[in-house]
Amino acid sequence: MHISLDSALGRQRRLNSVGESVLQIAPNAAAAYSLRSLTGGDPKVVRVRRGSNNVESDFTASGVSSGALLDFVTTPQIGWNLQPTFSNDSGTGSVTSQSSTATTATVSFTGDATLLRESSKPNHVLGSSGDQVIFNISVSGLDSAMTFRLRTASSNTTVASQSVSNGDNQDITLNLTGSAGYLAITAVASSGGTITFNSIKVLPKSGFVETWYDQSGNNRPLIQTTASEQPLIVEAGTFLNGVKSNQATSNDTMQNLQVSTDGTNANFGTDDWASGASLKLGAVYVGTVPTDSVATSDQNSIIWGGGRGVGSFQFGGLSLAVVKGGNDNWRLRNERQGLSPANMDCRLSLNTDADVVLYGTTNNRESTINVNGSGNTETESADLDVREGQALSLFGAYDGAGGFRYDRSAGGVCKECYLYAGDPVANIPALATSINSHYSIY
């Protein structure tokens, strides 16, 4: 049963007490993303990649709440990805016989097998960091305990290892710290030894978001085609009730999604968002942004929108951002490269690592920031700048040339996010009230 998932998502309540869906309460969104239905139907909401073997699948809102998504990610995988063929790449020992099936294998050897492995280093086992691999093996004839390793394919990087002695039907559980992988074994059997793999089972623990579908009807999905940059939706075998980006420690570890108009290319920038909108723009973020999820706690970290979070860099990016050092300072930030002032911020302080309903709106020089029902409105000294073409991003900071800025990226768990443009921006306060009614955040 998956009662906890249904409860977490509000048992897929699609309508309010008077029969209105979220996007009827706050219609005409430019883009709208959630794992629940915002339309009153059962739309396709997310495309998920299973970390263990990179298989992808789409899920509707009911598929998320029913537990089908979690089942897809965590269903055990039985047997080899590729049947192993062993040779001794180092030492004086040699392989005397071997055989394998789709789910078993046996290798016999004699002497000092310093490195018993397949020289091409293929993917005998598919698994990603955080997954578990359980071998049931029988071992005989060893002079002493062997070192049993899984390494990342095409590399010498060990992602799990264990010392194994002689014995029948031993369950060897390996917790992966990276992608598996091929077997690399060090063993000595002066009079001949045999290793029999009775079974192999991979317990997947991680699921990643490749596409978060747009429910507004405008076909502007959030996408990430690079696997290493995809945020999580299942972590350590647990459904996260949102899309999670961990703290980035380098440009290579910046997890984020970007807005697309074709599902393939990240190509919807602030300039597109503002087209025909009379400089009336609004962005909404629902979820957490904990201090330990931002790369630099005393600098602007981009949550949702366009911009790097550093003045005099992007040409007219507009984004929701936060500074988590000391007093949490939530911001609606406009980058203005080459103009004066170089940037404009509308700010509000609220210290919390818990869920927030955060939104920012503009009406040219009038800017508003609101966090959990508390707001601040300011009249800026210059017109809103919306020249930036770099794609809007959830949890990712990019410069005007498309380069990564991990040190200005935020992380957290996003339950929902929205874009509005033009007169429909006026619907955002009602949207925030509806969202809070659903999640009881403040």
Side-chain angles (χ1 to χ4, degrees), residues 90-281:
S90 182
T92 59
S94 61
V95 173
T96 57
S97 67
Q98 60 180 303
S99 63
S100 67
T101 71
T103 58
T104 67
T106 298
V107 57
S108 296
F109 62 98
T110 186
D112 178 2
T114 302
L115 195 57
L116 195 65
R117 73 178 188 192
E118 190 161 350
S119 58
S120 62
K121 305 177 184 178
N123 268 316
H124 298 146
V125 178
L126 287 179
S128 63
S129 181
D131 291 347
Q132 284 186 329
V133 183
I134 303 175
F135 293 94
N136 181 275
I137 63 176
S138 297
V139 183
S140 63
L142 298 182
D143 293 4
S144 58
M146 69 178 181
T147 302
F148 185 82
R149 309 178 190 86
L150 268 177
R151 288 180 170 173
T152 298
S154 304
S155 80
N156 293 323
T157 302
T158 297
V159 295
S161 67
Q162 192 164 322
S163 179
V164 181
S165 300
N166 292 319
D168 291 333
N169 295 311
Q170 304 176 67
D171 282 330
I172 308 301
T173 300
L174 301 178
N175 296 304
L176 302 185
T177 60
S179 297
Y182 67 97
L183 294 161
I185 302 168
T186 298
V188 179
S190 300
S191 300
T194 298
I195 305 169
T196 299
F197 297 85
N198 302 309
S199 66
I200 174 175
K201 179 167 59 177
V202 179
L203 300 180
K205 302 288 186 179
S206 301
F208 301 87
V209 175
E210 193 273 343
T211 303
W212 200 356
Y213 292 107
D214 175 19
Q215 295 188 46
S216 73
N218 293 315
N219 192 30
R220 292 167 179 159
L222 279 164
I223 66 167
Q224 182 51 261
T225 57
T226 302
S228 62
E229 298 168 25
Q230 290 170 351
L232 289 147
I233 194 167
V234 175
E235 185 176 42
T238 300
F239 173 67
L240 297 170
N241 191 25
V243 175
K244 181 183 181 184
S245 172
N246 289 316
Q247 182 192 79
T249 56
S250 68
N251 286 341
D252 292 337
T253 61
M254 194 175 84
Q255 300 169 305
N256 70 113
L257 299 169
Q258 292 182 282
V259 183
S260 170
T261 59
D262 59 12
T264 302
N265 301 293
N267 58 4
F268 187 81
T270 305
D271 54 352
D272 300 304
W273 180 19
S275 179
S278 301
L279 298 183
K280 295 179 182 179
L281 299 177

